[in-house]
Amino acid sequence: MQALTLVSKELGEWAVRHRRHLHQYPELSGEEHQTHAYIKRQLEEMGMDILAFEAPSVVGFLRGTTGENTIALRADIDALPVLEEGDKPYQSKIPGISHACGHDGHTAVLLAAAKWLSEHRDEVKPNVLFLFQSSEERDPSGASALIQQGVLDQVDAIFGIHLWQPLEKGQIGVCHGSMMAACDEFTITIEGKGGHGAMPQETIDPIYIASQIVGGIQSVVSRSLNPLQPAVVTVGKVEGGSTYNIIPNEALMLGTTRSLTEETRQRIHTHMQRIVEGVSASYGATGRMEYRWGPPPLVNDKVQSRYVEQVVKDSFGESVYAVDLAPTMAAEDFAYYLERCPGAFIFVGMGGEASAYPHHHPQFDIDEDSIPIAIELFVQLVLRYARQAG
């Protein structure tokens, strides 16, 4: 673990205690009411102003000594519908729900950063917003909701962290530009003509047509997109029929697409629509695609990401900065903030023995050694910002 300049052992332990409490009482997206009350109570004990934004999100405000700039720090607070496995002493007490992505850690990190900054108000020049955001894991996005309520109206820059299992423990990384993918979902319905399995000539088989579409939409990535622009099209569910000798009237497919640029995202949608309708029509069926647009690509502002890089190197040492960090096709609704406000999203590595399982796995856990590092990063980003902005 890196030597920390500002964050004490006691504050790190304080954060871990709160993280473990939150881990035991996870709540799903949009339902984080106990979590809301818990966060609000902690902020009030710090003497923090609580701004009037819709629950279950919580927004705290700390006025800086100059107030010439306002920066926002964000943590997501929701959990997942995942039954936790293992034998942790702080195991989830809510059946079928767990913090299998680390949002309990993000919340504890931001609470601890708020605690440090509130106790050192005289050293804090910019105003600071602390965004404890609901509903990162599910639409409607909690980020979009806060933006619509005006949370970014006076914000000059925004930063968020993710305790990141794929990145080696002890590393901190940021991409200068595209970092995470747009995440969209689709439902394809094929309407054919059912009948007896022994007389297929009398039918229009939607299952066979669906199989052609599965292969066809894979050509979107391989033949319709720039090969230097990463993209993914995944069919995760195919549904149709009731028994072995009946050709059904209808087949259903559900899936997701991922892309790192808005141009690629739009091209995927256009070409998929054409393939679904065209392949279906060629067999005499009707094909419909419903497309749900999710979070856009997460693209860091390069000025702010370079600022993060310098803060990491100055605060933790050159070796801590993950030089070769590559974008990931995972998605994050922090992307909505970055569409409206300069900022950067940052990975704090925790991959290793204590955090061996991937995000969303039933046995996922945080390496708690990463928590003080993330607290220090948030605090340093705030304290150094006035100089950077000047």
Side-chain angles (χ1 to χ4, degrees):
M1 177 177 170
Q2 291 87 357
L4 304 180
T5 305
L6 301 174
V7 174
S8 65
K9 178 182 178 183
E10 290 73 23
L11 182 59
E13 291 172 346
W14 182 92
V16 167
R17 288 197 301 274
H18 285 285
R19 179 259 162 168
R20 292 188 175 192
H21 172 85
L22 292 164
H23 191 89
Q24 292 177 79
Y25 300 98
E27 295 175 293
L28 295 175
S29 301
E31 302 174 10
E32 310 99 321
H33 302 295
Q34 291 185 41
T35 305
H36 168 96
Y38 187 87
I39 294 167
K40 186 177 179 182
R41 184 166 65 250
Q42 300 305 318
L43 294 178
E44 289 173 340
E45 289 177 2
M46 299 171 197
M48 191 80 65
D49 293 334
I50 309 297
L51 302 187
F53 289 90
E54 291 179 10
S57 292
V58 187
V59 180
F61 177 74
L62 180 67
R63 186 172 299 281
T65 58
T66 66
E68 293 177 359
N69 303 103
T70 299
I71 65 174
L73 306 176
R74 177 270 205 165
D76 35 16
I77 67 174
D78 51 334
L80 287 161
V82 174
L83 177 64
E84 187 167 22
E85 298 176 357
D87 56 356
K88 308 177 186 73
Y90 45 87
Q91 197 91 347
S92 171
K93 297 181 184 296
I94 311 301
I97 303 175
S98 66
H99 273 293
C101 197
H103 297 186
D104 52 336
H106 303 165
T107 303
V109 165
L110 188 54
L111 279 173
K115 180 176 172 64
W116 193 100
L117 292 166
S118 66
E119 291 173 353
H120 299 79
R121 292 170 188 255
D122 293 345
E123 302 176 40
V124 182
K125 293 183 179 181
N127 303 322
V128 187
L129 282 179
F130 301 90
L131 311 186
F132 294 88
Q133 180 212 302
S134 165
S135 302
E136 189 279 324
E137 295 285 2
R138 191 184 70 187
D139 276 345
S141 159
S144 287
L146 284 174
I147 291 166
Q148 289 168 11
Q149 294 166 47
V151 77
L152 294 180
D153 286 355
Q154 304 300 322
V155 173
D156 296 291
I158 184 167
F159 301 98
I161 60 102
H162 203 307
L163 302 173
W164 195 240
Q165 189 273 339
L167 182 62
E168 181 184 352
K169 177 181 175 179
Q171 295 279 287
I172 300 174
V174 63
C175 292
H176 303 302
S178 296
M179 184 162 176
M180 302 184 77
C183 174
D184 303 318
E185 297 177 8
F186 60 85
T187 300
I188 298 171
T189 304
I190 311 301
E191 294 182 359
K193 178 184 175 184
H196 200 295
M199 290 175 270
Q201 74 278 8
E202 303 294 331
T203 73
I204 299 173
D205 186 348
I207 293 179
Y208 176 76
I209 297 167
S211 73
Q212 301 301 303
I213 290 174
V214 170
I217 61 178
Q218 294 306 313
S219 72
V220 172
V221 174
S222 65
R223 289 295 178 270
S224 300
L225 302 179
N226 183 338
L228 299 179
Q229 291 291 334
V232 174
V233 177
T234 295
V235 177
K237 179 178 181 180
V238 179
E239 185 178 279
S242 57
T243 190
Y244 74 99
N245 64 345
I246 298 174
I247 293 173
N249 284 317
E250 185 176 280
L252 191 70
M253 294 184 286
L254 283 73
T256 182
T257 68
R258 307 292 172 115
S259 50
L260 289 178
T261 69
E262 191 62 34
E263 179 185 3
T264 298
R265 188 186 196 194
Q266 296 295 333
R267 286 179 67 86
I268 289 171
H269 173 262
T270 298
H271 286 277
M272 283 185 62
Q273 186 102 32
R274 187 178 302 155
I275 289 168
V276 168
E277 294 175 358
V279 170
S280 299
S282 70
Y283 289 99
T286 300
R288 300 191 313 275
M289 183 175 73
E290 298 174 16
Y291 209 80
R292 188 185 67 79
W293 300 93
L298 189 153
V299 183
N300 285 330
D301 177 83
K302 292 183 180 180
V303 172
Q304 300 303 331
S305 65
R306 293 292 180 191
Y307 168 62
V308 171
E309 176 182 351
Q310 195 58 52
V311 170
V312 171
K313 290 177 177 178
D314 290 347
S315 303
F316 302 98
E318 297 268 347
S319 64
V320 171
Y321 182 71
V323 176
D324 297 322
L325 186 69
T328 173
M329 300 309 280
E332 238 288 347
D333 76 349
F334 193 84
Y336 288 115
Y337 297 118
L338 295 177
E339 285 189 320
R340 302 293 187 90
C341 180
F345 198 61
I346 310 155
F347 288 159
V348 177
M350 61 174 187
E353 185 176 351
S355 185
Y357 292 94
H359 297 274
H360 294 207
H361 189 281
Q363 294 191 56
F364 171 84
D365 200 9
I366 288 171
D367 186 329
E368 292 176 335
D369 286 348
S370 64
I371 287 177
I373 297 169
I375 300 168
E376 178 98 7
L377 177 59
F378 263 160
V379 171
Q380 293 283 9
L381 287 169
V382 171
L383 295 184
R384 296 166 182 262
Y385 187 79
R387 279 176 281 168
Q388 182 265 168

